Amino acid sequence: MDKVWLGGAPCRRGGPANGYTACDMPSFPASRAILDRNRRHIPGGMFSLNREADPALVFEKGEGAYLWDADGNRFIDYHAAFGPYLLGHNAVEINRAVEQTLHDGASLFGVNTTRQEGRLAELICDSIPFAELVQILNTGSEATYQAIRLARAFTSRDHILVMQGGYNGWHNDVACNVMTPLSEIGPRVSPGEYPVIPLGAGIPEAHRSLIHVVNFNDVESVEYVCRKYPIAAILTEPILQNIGIVKPRPGYLEALRRVADEFGCVLIFDEVKTGFRHAIGGYATIAGVSPDLAVYGKALANGYPIAAVAGRTDLMNLFAHPDPKRRVFLAGTYNGHPVPVAAAIATIECLLDREVNTYAKLEKLGKAFEAGFESIRKEASAPLTLVRQGSAFCIYFMDHAPVDWHDIAKHHDFAADTAMRRAVIERGSFPFPLATKQWSISTAHTEAMIQETVNAVASAILQPAMR
Ligand SMILES: Cc1ncc(COP(=O)(O)O)c(C=O)c1O
């Protein structure tokens, strides 16, 4: 395959006249100084190490679809902080609800419940058909942790099935096998499973022996694993959105539902990225497949830290089972903190508002990007494929929409993707500069901004030096 060459991009804010050679990334000196200083007291220099990016931009302000870095450069944001910002940064109506809550004297009381907890739970259960009951937590990882616990308690089984290329959080049961080199997991097997490759050190062997990894879109392997082990839960993102956008094949989610029922396992949809971004009820409502449990986070409160686990009454009620031996332990000092709860209520109310029509607006913007991209694709010298679901998309440097991680690892041109992202950043739009990471649009984006980014992508990919 002809590789797309991305060198030689002139810099929007500088270019050779400002001292950059044609293909140099600007140096962002203020960002660099902050990171260097923070490294003195913080291992890795930042509070979440998967945020490490090259260029090492440090942002100081976000408003709507724009971000400003420490050097004063402005970017159109497509990273959305890994997904939460569906209504844009510092969305006025959400911040206003938070300010009002604080003004009204809300605090973290830490005793019993609050009216706002009830309001948020009611909104979630009323708007998600299979959410009979809900509990609120702080992060997506906590939510997948508790959903797995519920599944284990319910089934009296310990084994969990997860997807290669899926990300479900940082805890021991799920921190494995996202962008795993094929040299470590080996070639595609079906039916079969892949070795568990932890995302880092410190994950006990005992945990790994309870985890089973199969490829997305491979029902035969799910059945194979369910036949072989006592599986408590099948856990999957309904669209894999941590390796771009890998959609389920028609019938795949339905098949997972059938297999879970046949083998008596709990079907958990991890909607931390898809939930509220594609529809209020997440991708499950678009696909028309009801999981037993679903977890949410990110867009649920437009950037404020909150998460939820929701689902069937008989499962969810294990959190409050009268028999302490059967009760699933759930606690958290900050669960239901009034600030993110107010933000979540305001976000859902906004998403429910027919006049605001959030999802139609996002679809229009997503379509505008897709239309612009189509002419780039036709002109490019190497194959390109855009995969989009509403406001989330990914450009793959390969000739088809991927079906699983093996497909991406084998066919996607990672170097070209990374180079394109860096060239787009030089031109004033900000996708996360790591190959296959999702691009996200918010309602604060405009068609003019989308066009500016299409132009940046076009010049990154099509400039004569690259052909
Ligand atoms: C699908 C999915 N599940 C779970 C998580 C974990 O969420 P958090 O980072 O809030 O713990 C993430 C985070 O990116 C995610 O994308």
Side-chain angles (χ1 to χ4, degrees):
M1 182 181 97
D2 256 353
K3 299 286 180 204
V4 178
W5 168 243
L6 294 158
C11 174
R12 194 181 72 103
R13 286 174 306 281
N18 270 7
Y20 312 126
T21 58
C23 58
D24 273 351
M25 177 64 77
S27 57
F28 306 111
S31 287
R32 170 53 58 191
I34 292 168
L35 184 56
D36 287 346
R37 193 160 54 248
N38 289 0
R39 284 202 167 114
R40 283 195 239 145
H41 301 289
I42 306 170
M46 59 198 77
F47 286 161
S48 176
L49 271 304
N50 66 343
R51 292 178 190 158
E52 191 164 24
D54 180 15
L57 290 170
V58 171
F59 291 109
E60 302 213 301
K61 184 177 159 187
E63 199 176 288
Y66 286 123
L67 295 176
W68 285 263
D69 75 4
D71 290 283
N73 299 302
R74 192 184 75 176
F75 298 85
I76 305 170
D77 181 30
Y78 289 87
H79 175 41
F82 288 112
Y85 288 101
L86 193 61
L87 308 174
H89 293 269
N90 280 306
V92 173
E93 60 277 40
I94 311 304
N95 283 358
R96 199 180 292 133
V98 167
E99 283 157 18
Q100 186 64 49
T101 292
L102 294 174
H103 182 261
D104 291 347
S107 187
L108 179 65
F109 305 116
V111 181
N112 291 314
T113 190
T114 63
R115 274 183 218 278
Q116 288 77 7
E117 283 188 1
R119 173 72 184 137
L120 176 55
E122 188 181 21
L123 272 174
I124 291 175
C125 292
D126 282 355
S127 43
I128 304 179
F130 49 83
E132 292 168 357
L133 293 171
V134 64
Q135 272 290 3
I136 292 296
L137 305 133
N138 304 290
T139 66
S141 299
E142 289 173 51
T144 57
Y145 190 100
Q146 289 292 357
I148 288 172
R149 236 189 207 173
L150 282 178
R152 284 180 167 150
F154 188 77
T155 59
S156 303
R157 303 172 186 171
D158 287 341
H159 291 248
I160 304 295
L161 186 152
V162 297
M163 302 297 159
Q164 175 64 51
Y167 179 67
N168 310 110
W170 48 255
H171 55 87
N172 288 346
D173 281 324
V174 293
C176 63
N177 296 67
V178 186
M179 299 168 78
T180 326
L182 295 194
S183 57
E184 293 187 43
I185 48 169
R188 183 192 304 285
V189 286
S190 182
E193 61 179 311
Y194 298 100
V196 175
I197 310 292
L199 291 181
I203 296 178
E205 182 56 44
H207 276 264
R208 292 185 231 168
S209 65
L210 298 175
I211 308 307
H212 304 279
V213 183
V214 304
N215 251 327
F216 195 66
N217 276 322
D218 179 2
V219 187
E220 285 71 30
S221 292
V222 174
E223 282 175 321
Y224 166 89
V225 166
C226 287
R227 218 169 274 126
K228 210 165 161 196
Y229 308 96
I231 297 294
I234 298 171
L235 171 62
T236 187
E237 296 170 72
I239 299 178
L240 295 188
Q241 284 192 201
N242 282 280
I243 50 170
I245 306 283
V246 177
K247 292 193 186 184
R249 282 192 176 117
Y252 172 66
L253 298 177
E254 289 85 343
L256 291 185
R257 177 68 276 168
R258 177 182 55 71
V259 175
D261 291 341
E262 188 182 331
F263 289 90
C265 358
V266 175
L267 180 62
I268 307 172
F269 280 177
D270 179 345
E271 298 250 22
V272 167
K273 270 199 138 167
T274 48
F276 299 88
R277 177 161 285 278
H278 302 320
I280 289 203
Y283 192 70
T285 55
I286 294 174
V289 177
S290 297
D292 301 304
L293 295 173
V295 295
Y296 304 92
K298 304 217 185 213
L300 166 57
N302 200 55
Y304 285 89
I306 200 163
V309 52
R312 264 171 40 195
T313 300
D314 54 348
L315 279 150
M316 292 294 297
N317 265 341
L318 289 173
F319 283 134
H321 199 284
D323 177 354
K325 290 208 176 66
R326 296 204 55 203
R327 193 180 309 148
V328 170
F329 184 62
L330 180 136
T333 301
Y334 293 109
N335 291 3
H337 189 285
V339 165
V341 166
I345 291 171
T347 300
I348 298 176
E349 284 175 345
C350 175
L351 298 180
L352 286 170
D353 190 332
R354 281 171 201 274
E355 276 177 33
V356 178
N357 217 352
T358 301
Y359 296 106
K361 185 165 185 209
L362 291 169
E363 177 62 21
K364 196 161 171 237
L365 292 168
K367 263 198 178 131
F369 188 92
E370 195 171 337
F373 177 79
E374 185 51 21
S375 41
I376 301 172
R377 192 189 65 74
K378 282 189 184 138
E379 266 192 69
S381 58
L384 295 170
T385 303
L386 181 94
V387 186
R388 179 177 74 85
Q389 178 67 40
S391 59
F393 63 87
C394 188
I395 298 165
Y396 292 101
F397 288 71
M398 54 194 273
D399 67 5
H400 59 278
V403 295
D404 58 25
W405 172 244
H406 274 79
D407 199 1
I408 295 174
K410 188 159 176 217
H411 296 113
H412 179 57
D413 186 337
F414 286 76
D417 185 353
T418 304
M420 179 266 292
R421 287 167 190 261
R422 290 167 60 88
V424 166
I425 291 169
E426 283 184 68
R427 288 158 175 76
S429 293
F430 185 76
F432 194 72
L434 179 68
T436 78
K437 284 291 143 192
Q438 173 186 318
W439 301 52
S440 304
I441 296 171
S442 76
T443 52
H445 286 73
T446 62
E447 298 217 11
M449 291 177 194
I450 298 286
Q451 191 53 52
E452 187 178 330
T453 305
V454 166
N455 294 345
V457 172
S459 90
I461 291 180
L462 299 176
Q463 59 177 296
M466 290 159 35
R467 293 193 188 176

